[in-house]
Amino acid sequence: MVQERTVLYENNEIHYLLEQKPVKNLNLRVHKDCKVYVSANSDVPTEKVDDFVVSKGAYIRSAQRKFREMAQYAPQPKQYVSGETFYLLGRGVRLKVEKNVRDSISSDGIYLHLRVKDTEDFRKKQKMVSRYLDEQCRTVFGEIISEIYPVFQKYGVPMPTLRIRDMETRWGSCLEKKGVITLNKRLLEAPRNCIEYVVMHEFCHFIHPNHSKHFYSFLAMLMPDWKERKTVLDRSATFWL
C-alpha cells in the first residue's frame, strides 16, 4: 500500500510517499528528482511516520538542495557537433566533425577528430565516439591495473578480470571471491593519478574486503597520498558518491 502524505517542517511542507511493507525499521530515501520515499511496517502508526519525517527535515532539505544543484550543473546530452568538449584523463578535447569518404576517429590531445561520410548522422557519430571512449577505457584502465598488480602479486592475489560499466554511484567495485574489478566508464574523464587511486583502492579489497581501519592503513601504506587523489577526484566529478 502506497499513500501520499504531507508534514510541516519549519513552516514548509514536505510531501512524501509512504509505502507500507514488512520491514523492521523506518526507512527514508530522497531520490534525484527530490521526491521523498518512506517505507514502514503496516503496524507503525502514520502519526509516528510523520514525526520521523519531520525529524529528518534538515537532512531532506539538504539532500534536495544538493540534487537541484546537481541538476543545474549536470552536463547536457551530447549532440556530437563540432565544438563540444569531451574529457580524457582530466583534459578537455574539442570535437571536430569532418566530412570524409571513410569513417574514422582519432585524437591529438587537443581535438577529437571525427571523420564521417554523413556529418548529420547522429547515431553513427554517437556510436563511433562511444566505441572510441570504450577502447580508451580498456587501454588506460588495463595499463594501470598491469602497473599496480605486481604489488599484489606478492600477496598471492591473482590477476583480476577487468569489467567496465556505467555506474551512477560508484567509481569502482571489487568482487574479491571472483577476482573481478569493475571500473566506471566515466573515470576516463579524471586525471590519471585519480584513476590509479581507484584501482589501488579496489585492489586493496582483495586483502581487506571491507572498509575497516586495517583496510585504510594498508591503502595508506601503499599510496600515502590517496586522500589528496580522492579529493581531486571528488571535486572534478559531475555526479557521485
Side-chain angles (χ1 to χ4, degrees), residues 29-68:
R29 304 179 306 283
V30 181
H31 287 198
K32 286 184 177 181
D33 59 6
C34 292
K35 291 182 179 178
V36 181
Y37 295 83
V38 178
S39 58
N41 195 288
S42 57
D43 294 338
V44 179
T46 53
E47 293 79 8
K48 183 176 180 180
V49 179
D50 287 346
D51 290 342
F52 171 71
V53 174
V54 171
S55 73
K56 298 294 183 180
Y59 162 75
I60 292 170
R61 291 305 188 211
S62 175
Q64 289 175 332
R65 282 195 299 271
K66 176 183 175 182
F67 286 131
R68 290 191 185 101

mmCIF file of all heavy atoms in Angstrom, residues 29-68:
data_model
loop_
_atom_site.group_PDB
_atom_site.id
_atom_site.type_symbol
_atom_site.label_atom_id
_atom_site.label_comp_id
_atom_site.label_asym_id
_atom_site.label_seq_id
_atom_site.Cartn_x
_atom_site.Cartn_y
_atom_site.Cartn_z
ATOM 1 N N ARG A 29 14.309 7.731 1.965
ATOM 2 C CA ARG A 29 15.206 7.969 0.844
ATOM 3 C C ARG A 29 14.767 9.234 0.108
ATOM 4 O O ARG A 29 13.571 9.469 -0.054
ATOM 5 C CB ARG A 29 15.198 6.798 -0.151
ATOM 6 C CG ARG A 29 15.530 5.461 0.466
ATOM 7 C CD ARG A 29 15.484 4.338 -0.542
ATOM 8 N NE ARG A 29 14.222 4.266 -1.281
ATOM 9 C CZ ARG A 29 13.087 3.761 -0.781
ATOM 10 N NH1 ARG A 29 13.061 3.326 0.466
ATOM 11 N NH2 ARG A 29 11.999 3.713 -1.517
ATOM 12 N N VAL A 30 15.750 10.008 -0.324
ATOM 13 C CA VAL A 30 15.481 11.170 -1.177
ATOM 14 C C VAL A 30 16.088 10.851 -2.539
ATOM 15 O O VAL A 30 17.294 10.646 -2.650
ATOM 16 C CB VAL A 30 16.099 12.457 -0.610
ATOM 17 C CG1 VAL A 30 15.757 13.647 -1.521
ATOM 18 C CG2 VAL A 30 15.597 12.727 0.804
ATOM 19 N N HIS A 31 15.254 10.797 -3.566
ATOM 20 C CA HIS A 31 15.722 10.449 -4.906
ATOM 21 C C HIS A 31 16.238 11.685 -5.635
ATOM 22 O O HIS A 31 16.052 12.824 -5.206
ATOM 23 C CB HIS A 31 14.603 9.794 -5.706
ATOM 24 C CG HIS A 31 14.309 8.394 -5.247
ATOM 25 N ND1 HIS A 31 13.621 7.480 -6.026
ATOM 26 C CD2 HIS A 31 14.615 7.728 -4.105
ATOM 27 C CE1 HIS A 31 13.525 6.337 -5.376
ATOM 28 N NE2 HIS A 31 14.107 6.469 -4.208
ATOM 29 N N LYS A 32 16.880 11.448 -6.776
ATOM 30 C CA LYS A 32 17.463 12.540 -7.555
ATOM 31 C C LYS A 32 16.429 13.553 -8.029
ATOM 32 O O LYS A 32 16.753 14.709 -8.271
ATOM 33 C CB LYS A 32 18.211 11.978 -8.772
ATOM 34 C CG LYS A 32 19.521 11.313 -8.423
ATOM 35 C CD LYS A 32 20.238 10.873 -9.681
ATOM 36 C CE LYS A 32 21.591 10.281 -9.354
ATOM 37 N NZ LYS A 32 22.323 9.855 -10.564
ATOM 38 N N ASP A 33 15.180 13.094 -8.171
ATOM 39 C CA ASP A 33 14.121 14.022 -8.584
ATOM 40 C C ASP A 33 13.569 14.814 -7.406
ATOM 41 O O ASP A 33 12.562 15.512 -7.532
ATOM 42 C CB ASP A 33 12.990 13.273 -9.302
ATOM 43 C CG ASP A 33 12.362 12.180 -8.429
ATOM 44 O OD1 ASP A 33 12.714 12.078 -7.241
ATOM 45 O OD2 ASP A 33 11.523 11.427 -8.952
ATOM 46 N N CYS A 34 14.224 14.675 -6.243
ATOM 47 C CA CYS A 34 13.891 15.381 -4.991
ATOM 48 C C CYS A 34 12.653 14.823 -4.290
ATOM 49 O O CYS A 34 12.217 15.366 -3.268
ATOM 50 C CB CYS A 34 13.713 16.879 -5.226
ATOM 51 S SG CYS A 34 15.262 17.700 -5.660
ATOM 52 N N LYS A 35 12.083 13.757 -4.808
ATOM 53 C CA LYS A 35 10.935 13.151 -4.140
ATOM 54 C C LYS A 35 11.399 12.330 -2.940
ATOM 55 O O LYS A 35 12.474 11.741 -2.950
ATOM 56 C CB LYS A 35 10.154 12.271 -5.115
ATOM 57 C CG LYS A 35 9.441 13.063 -6.209
ATOM 58 C CD LYS A 35 8.633 12.148 -7.114
ATOM 59 C CE LYS A 35 7.909 12.953 -8.200
ATOM 60 N NZ LYS A 35 7.138 12.068 -9.125
ATOM 61 N N VAL A 36 10.558 12.332 -1.908
ATOM 62 C CA VAL A 36 10.896 11.646 -0.662
ATOM 63 C C VAL A 36 10.068 10.368 -0.549
ATOM 64 O O VAL A 36 8.846 10.385 -0.734
ATOM 65 C CB VAL A 36 10.619 12.552 0.556
ATOM 66 C CG1 VAL A 36 10.989 11.839 1.858
ATOM 67 C CG2 VAL A 36 11.377 13.862 0.418
ATOM 68 N N TYR A 37 10.753 9.275 -0.260
ATOM 69 C CA TYR A 37 10.090 7.981 -0.118
ATOM 70 C C TYR A 37 10.383 7.410 1.258
ATOM 71 O O TYR A 37 11.519 7.438 1.723
ATOM 72 C CB TYR A 37 10.585 7.000 -1.183
ATOM 73 C CG TYR A 37 10.230 7.404 -2.593
ATOM 74 C CD1 TYR A 37 11.015 8.317 -3.297
ATOM 75 C CD2 TYR A 37 9.113 6.869 -3.242
ATOM 76 C CE1 TYR A 37 10.691 8.695 -4.590
ATOM 77 C CE2 TYR A 37 8.784 7.236 -4.537
ATOM 78 C CZ TYR A 37 9.573 8.150 -5.207
ATOM 79 O OH TYR A 37 9.250 8.524 -6.487
ATOM 80 N N VAL A 38 9.348 6.886 1.895
ATOM 81 C CA VAL A 38 9.493 6.271 3.210
ATOM 82 C C VAL A 38 8.835 4.903 3.184
ATOM 83 O O VAL A 38 7.733 4.743 2.640
ATOM 84 C CB VAL A 38 8.844 7.135 4.313
ATOM 85 C CG1 VAL A 38 8.958 6.443 5.669
ATOM 86 C CG2 VAL A 38 9.487 8.520 4.359
ATOM 87 N N SER A 39 9.505 3.933 3.760
ATOM 88 C CA SER A 39 8.905 2.604 3.911
ATOM 89 C C SER A 39 8.797 2.289 5.392
ATOM 90 O O SER A 39 9.693 2.625 6.177
ATOM 91 C CB SER A 39 9.734 1.529 3.194
ATOM 92 O OG SER A 39 11.055 1.491 3.685
ATOM 93 N N ALA A 40 7.679 1.674 5.766
ATOM 94 C CA ALA A 40 7.437 1.360 7.177
ATOM 95 C C ALA A 40 6.521 0.151 7.268
ATOM 96 O O ALA A 40 5.719 -0.121 6.363
ATOM 97 C CB ALA A 40 6.808 2.547 7.895
ATOM 98 N N ASN A 41 6.646 -0.557 8.362
ATOM 99 C CA ASN A 41 5.755 -1.691 8.594
ATOM 100 C C ASN A 41 4.320 -1.177 8.796
ATOM 101 O O ASN A 41 4.114 -0.102 9.349
ATOM 102 C CB ASN A 41 6.225 -2.466 9.827
ATOM 103 C CG ASN A 41 5.576 -3.833 9.914
ATOM 104 O OD1 ASN A 41 4.387 -3.949 10.215
ATOM 105 N ND2 ASN A 41 6.359 -4.868 9.648
ATOM 106 N N SER A 42 3.375 -1.940 8.351
ATOM 107 C CA SER A 42 1.964 -1.527 8.460
ATOM 108 C C SER A 42 1.518 -1.370 9.911
ATOM 109 O O SER A 42 0.500 -0.713 10.188
ATOM 110 C CB SER A 42 1.060 -2.534 7.741
ATOM 111 O OG SER A 42 1.252 -3.836 8.262
ATOM 112 N N ASP A 43 2.268 -1.956 10.847
ATOM 113 C CA ASP A 43 1.929 -1.823 12.266
ATOM 114 C C ASP A 43 2.303 -0.456 12.837
ATOM 115 O O ASP A 43 1.837 -0.087 13.927
ATOM 116 C CB ASP A 43 2.642 -2.906 13.091
ATOM 117 C CG ASP A 43 2.140 -4.305 12.754
ATOM 118 O OD1 ASP A 43 1.013 -4.413 12.238
ATOM 119 O OD2 ASP A 43 2.878 -5.274 12.978
ATOM 120 N N VAL A 44 3.149 0.281 12.127
ATOM 121 C CA VAL A 44 3.607 1.574 12.633
ATOM 122 C C VAL A 44 2.551 2.644 12.344
ATOM 123 O O VAL A 44 2.155 2.827 11.193
ATOM 124 C CB VAL A 44 4.944 1.982 11.976
ATOM 125 C CG1 VAL A 44 5.399 3.351 12.498
ATOM 126 C CG2 VAL A 44 6.007 0.923 12.251
ATOM 127 N N PRO A 45 2.068 3.349 13.345
ATOM 128 C CA PRO A 45 1.057 4.401 13.126
ATOM 129 C C PRO A 45 1.586 5.484 12.187
ATOM 130 O O PRO A 45 2.763 5.858 12.267
ATOM 131 C CB PRO A 45 0.816 4.957 14.531
ATOM 132 C CG PRO A 45 1.283 3.885 15.464
ATOM 133 C CD PRO A 45 2.418 3.206 14.779
ATOM 134 N N THR A 46 0.725 5.992 11.328
ATOM 135 C CA THR A 46 1.155 7.015 10.375
ATOM 136 C C THR A 46 1.627 8.287 11.087
ATOM 137 O O THR A 46 2.498 8.996 10.582
ATOM 138 C CB THR A 46 0.011 7.356 9.404
ATOM 139 O OG1 THR A 46 -1.165 7.682 10.150
ATOM 140 C CG2 THR A 46 -0.270 6.197 8.469
ATOM 141 N N GLU A 47 1.057 8.557 12.257
ATOM 142 C CA GLU A 47 1.497 9.728 13.013
ATOM 143 C C GLU A 47 2.973 9.598 13.411
ATOM 144 O O GLU A 47 3.722 10.577 13.407
ATOM 145 C CB GLU A 47 0.644 9.922 14.269
ATOM 146 C CG GLU A 47 -0.811 10.307 14.009
ATOM 147 C CD GLU A 47 -1.649 9.081 13.611
ATOM 148 O OE1 GLU A 47 -1.135 7.945 13.696
ATOM 149 O OE2 GLU A 47 -2.819 9.292 13.226
ATOM 150 N N LYS A 48 3.364 8.389 13.746
ATOM 151 C CA LYS A 48 4.760 8.152 14.115
ATOM 152 C C LYS A 48 5.661 8.314 12.893
ATOM 153 O O LYS A 48 6.781 8.842 12.994
ATOM 154 C CB LYS A 48 4.921 6.749 14.704
ATOM 155 C CG LYS A 48 6.344 6.450 15.171
ATOM 156 C CD LYS A 48 6.449 5.087 15.843
ATOM 157 C CE LYS A 48 7.865 4.811 16.309
ATOM 158 N NZ LYS A 48 7.997 3.485 16.973
ATOM 159 N N VAL A 49 5.185 7.890 11.719
ATOM 160 C CA VAL A 49 5.958 8.057 10.482
ATOM 161 C C VAL A 49 6.102 9.540 10.170
ATOM 162 O O VAL A 49 7.179 10.009 9.790
ATOM 163 C CB VAL A 49 5.289 7.319 9.306
ATOM 164 C CG1 VAL A 49 6.098 7.524 8.028
ATOM 165 C CG2 VAL A 49 5.142 5.834 9.608
ATOM 166 N N ASP A 50 4.999 10.293 10.350
ATOM 167 C CA ASP A 50 5.059 11.733 10.122
ATOM 168 C C ASP A 50 6.121 12.381 11.014
ATOM 169 O O ASP A 50 6.920 13.217 10.561
ATOM 170 C CB ASP A 50 3.700 12.375 10.405
ATOM 171 C CG ASP A 50 2.675 12.077 9.328
ATOM 172 O OD1 ASP A 50 3.071 11.606 8.234
ATOM 173 O OD2 ASP A 50 1.478 12.328 9.563
ATOM 174 N N ASP A 51 6.140 12.005 12.279
ATOM 175 C CA ASP A 51 7.118 12.553 13.216
ATOM 176 C C ASP A 51 8.547 12.201 12.782
ATOM 177 O O ASP A 51 9.469 13.014 12.910
ATOM 178 C CB ASP A 51 6.867 12.014 14.631
ATOM 179 C CG ASP A 51 5.580 12.572 15.243
ATOM 180 O OD1 ASP A 51 5.088 13.605 14.738
ATOM 181 O OD2 ASP A 51 5.073 11.962 16.207
ATOM 182 N N PHE A 52 8.688 10.997 12.276
ATOM 183 C CA PHE A 52 10.004 10.549 11.804
ATOM 184 C C PHE A 52 10.474 11.419 10.635
ATOM 185 O O PHE A 52 11.637 11.851 10.587
ATOM 186 C CB PHE A 52 9.923 9.082 11.376
ATOM 187 C CG PHE A 52 11.148 8.563 10.680
ATOM 188 C CD1 PHE A 52 12.334 8.341 11.368
ATOM 189 C CD2 PHE A 52 11.125 8.295 9.313
ATOM 190 C CE1 PHE A 52 13.465 7.869 10.727
ATOM 191 C CE2 PHE A 52 12.243 7.815 8.661
ATOM 192 C CZ PHE A 52 13.421 7.603 9.366
ATOM 193 N N VAL A 53 9.574 11.693 9.693
ATOM 194 C CA VAL A 53 9.919 12.527 8.540
ATOM 195 C C VAL A 53 10.292 13.933 8.985
ATOM 196 O O VAL A 53 11.270 14.521 8.515
ATOM 197 C CB VAL A 53 8.758 12.565 7.516
ATOM 198 C CG1 VAL A 53 9.069 13.560 6.391
ATOM 199 C CG2 VAL A 53 8.516 11.173 6.938
ATOM 200 N N VAL A 54 9.526 14.476 9.937
ATOM 201 C CA VAL A 54 9.834 15.813 10.456
ATOM 202 C C VAL A 54 11.217 15.824 11.109
ATOM 203 O O VAL A 54 11.999 16.777 10.941
ATOM 204 C CB VAL A 54 8.761 16.270 11.460
ATOM 205 C CG1 VAL A 54 9.200 17.561 12.158
ATOM 206 C CG2 VAL A 54 7.429 16.477 10.763
ATOM 207 N N SER A 55 11.548 14.759 11.823
ATOM 208 C CA SER A 55 12.851 14.688 12.493
ATOM 209 C C SER A 55 13.998 14.655 11.484
ATOM 210 O O SER A 55 15.138 14.988 11.816
ATOM 211 C CB SER A 55 12.923 13.453 13.401
ATOM 212 O OG SER A 55 13.047 12.258 12.642
ATOM 213 N N LYS A 56 13.694 14.246 10.250
ATOM 214 C CA LYS A 56 14.695 14.187 9.187
ATOM 215 C C LYS A 56 14.602 15.397 8.260
ATOM 216 O O LYS A 56 15.193 15.413 7.174
ATOM 217 C CB LYS A 56 14.509 12.912 8.362
ATOM 218 C CG LYS A 56 14.694 11.620 9.145
ATOM 219 C CD LYS A 56 16.124 11.458 9.616
ATOM 220 C CE LYS A 56 16.314 10.134 10.340
ATOM 221 N NZ LYS A 56 17.717 9.960 10.801
ATOM 222 N N GLY A 57 13.865 16.415 8.696
ATOM 223 C CA GLY A 57 13.619 17.578 7.852
ATOM 224 C C GLY A 57 14.878 18.259 7.346
ATOM 225 O O GLY A 57 14.981 18.608 6.162
ATOM 226 N N ALA A 58 15.848 18.468 8.239
ATOM 227 C CA ALA A 58 17.086 19.146 7.837
ATOM 228 C C ALA A 58 17.822 18.332 6.776
ATOM 229 O O ALA A 58 18.334 18.880 5.787
ATOM 230 C CB ALA A 58 17.974 19.365 9.054
ATOM 231 N N TYR A 59 17.876 17.019 6.991
ATOM 232 C CA TYR A 59 18.541 16.140 6.013
ATOM 233 C C TYR A 59 17.821 16.180 4.671
ATOM 234 O O TYR A 59 18.456 16.267 3.610
ATOM 235 C CB TYR A 59 18.574 14.704 6.537
ATOM 236 C CG TYR A 59 18.835 13.683 5.456
ATOM 237 C CD1 TYR A 59 20.108 13.515 4.921
ATOM 238 C CD2 TYR A 59 17.786 12.908 4.943
ATOM 239 C CE1 TYR A 59 20.333 12.597 3.910
ATOM 240 C CE2 TYR A 59 18.004 11.999 3.933
ATOM 241 C CZ TYR A 59 19.279 11.842 3.427
ATOM 242 O OH TYR A 59 19.501 10.930 2.414
ATOM 243 N N ILE A 60 16.493 16.132 4.701
ATOM 244 C CA ILE A 60 15.707 16.129 3.459
ATOM 245 C C ILE A 60 15.953 17.402 2.663
ATOM 246 O O ILE A 60 16.208 17.360 1.451
ATOM 247 C CB ILE A 60 14.205 15.970 3.772
ATOM 248 C CG1 ILE A 60 13.929 14.565 4.330
ATOM 249 C CG2 ILE A 60 13.361 16.206 2.517
ATOM 250 C CD1 ILE A 60 12.528 14.396 4.896
ATOM 251 N N ARG A 61 15.895 18.554 3.339
ATOM 252 C CA ARG A 61 16.111 19.830 2.662
ATOM 253 C C ARG A 61 17.534 19.906 2.089
ATOM 254 O O ARG A 61 17.754 20.401 0.981
ATOM 255 C CB ARG A 61 15.878 20.998 3.625
ATOM 256 C CG ARG A 61 14.432 21.186 4.036
ATOM 257 C CD ARG A 61 13.527 21.335 2.829
ATOM 258 N NE ARG A 61 12.163 21.698 3.182
ATOM 259 C CZ ARG A 61 11.108 21.345 2.489
ATOM 260 N NH1 ARG A 61 11.252 20.608 1.392
ATOM 261 N NH2 ARG A 61 9.895 21.712 2.859
ATOM 262 N N SER A 62 18.498 19.437 2.840
ATOM 263 C CA SER A 62 19.885 19.465 2.374
ATOM 264 C C SER A 62 20.057 18.585 1.133
ATOM 265 O O SER A 62 20.703 18.988 0.158
ATOM 266 C CB SER A 62 20.819 18.984 3.489
ATOM 267 O OG SER A 62 22.144 18.886 3.025
ATOM 268 N N ALA A 63 19.466 17.376 1.178
ATOM 269 C CA ALA A 63 19.574 16.465 0.039
ATOM 270 C C ALA A 63 18.883 17.031 -1.190
ATOM 271 O O ALA A 63 19.391 16.934 -2.315
ATOM 272 C CB ALA A 63 18.976 15.107 0.408
ATOM 273 N N GLN A 64 17.731 17.636 -0.993
ATOM 274 C CA GLN A 64 17.004 18.225 -2.125
ATOM 275 C C GLN A 64 17.787 19.376 -2.741
ATOM 276 O O GLN A 64 17.821 19.514 -3.971
ATOM 277 C CB GLN A 64 15.614 18.682 -1.666
ATOM 278 C CG GLN A 64 14.667 17.533 -1.370
ATOM 279 C CD GLN A 64 13.334 17.987 -0.801
ATOM 280 O OE1 GLN A 64 13.241 19.026 -0.146
ATOM 281 N NE2 GLN A 64 12.291 17.217 -1.052
ATOM 282 N N ARG A 65 18.413 20.211 -1.916
ATOM 283 C CA ARG A 65 19.246 21.308 -2.444
ATOM 284 C C ARG A 65 20.406 20.753 -3.264
ATOM 285 O O ARG A 65 20.718 21.266 -4.345
ATOM 286 C CB ARG A 65 19.787 22.171 -1.296
ATOM 287 C CG ARG A 65 18.779 23.153 -0.724
ATOM 288 C CD ARG A 65 19.477 24.205 0.127
ATOM 289 N NE ARG A 65 20.178 23.612 1.257
ATOM 290 C CZ ARG A 65 19.619 23.404 2.445
ATOM 291 N NH1 ARG A 65 18.344 23.723 2.662
ATOM 292 N NH2 ARG A 65 20.328 22.874 3.425
ATOM 293 N N LYS A 66 21.022 19.707 -2.745
ATOM 294 C CA LYS A 66 22.152 19.093 -3.439
ATOM 295 C C LYS A 66 21.729 18.559 -4.800
ATOM 296 O O LYS A 66 22.402 18.795 -5.814
ATOM 297 C CB LYS A 66 22.723 17.959 -2.587
ATOM 298 C CG LYS A 66 23.845 17.187 -3.257
ATOM 299 C CD LYS A 66 24.317 16.034 -2.389
ATOM 300 C CE LYS A 66 25.359 15.197 -3.116
ATOM 301 N NZ LYS A 66 25.790 14.026 -2.294
ATOM 302 N N PHE A 67 20.593 17.860 -4.844
ATOM 303 C CA PHE A 67 20.144 17.284 -6.110
ATOM 304 C C PHE A 67 19.723 18.374 -7.096
ATOM 305 O O PHE A 67 19.914 18.230 -8.304
ATOM 306 C CB PHE A 67 19.007 16.301 -5.877
ATOM 307 C CG PHE A 67 19.447 14.998 -5.278
ATOM 308 C CD1 PHE A 67 18.797 14.457 -4.168
ATOM 309 C CD2 PHE A 67 20.511 14.301 -5.816
ATOM 310 C CE1 PHE A 67 19.202 13.251 -3.619
ATOM 311 C CE2 PHE A 67 20.936 13.098 -5.271
ATOM 312 C CZ PHE A 67 20.278 12.570 -4.171
ATOM 313 N N ARG A 68 19.169 19.469 -6.606
ATOM 314 C CA ARG A 68 18.804 20.577 -7.509
ATOM 315 C C ARG A 68 20.054 21.219 -8.100
ATOM 316 O O ARG A 68 20.079 21.589 -9.281
ATOM 317 C CB ARG A 68 17.970 21.614 -6.759
ATOM 318 C CG ARG A 68 16.559 21.122 -6.412
ATOM 319 C CD ARG A 68 15.676 22.262 -5.917
ATOM 320 N NE ARG A 68 14.383 21.756 -5.474
ATOM 321 C CZ ARG A 68 14.040 21.566 -4.204
ATOM 322 N NH1 ARG A 68 14.908 21.843 -3.240
ATOM 323 N NH2 ARG A 68 12.844 21.104 -3.888
#
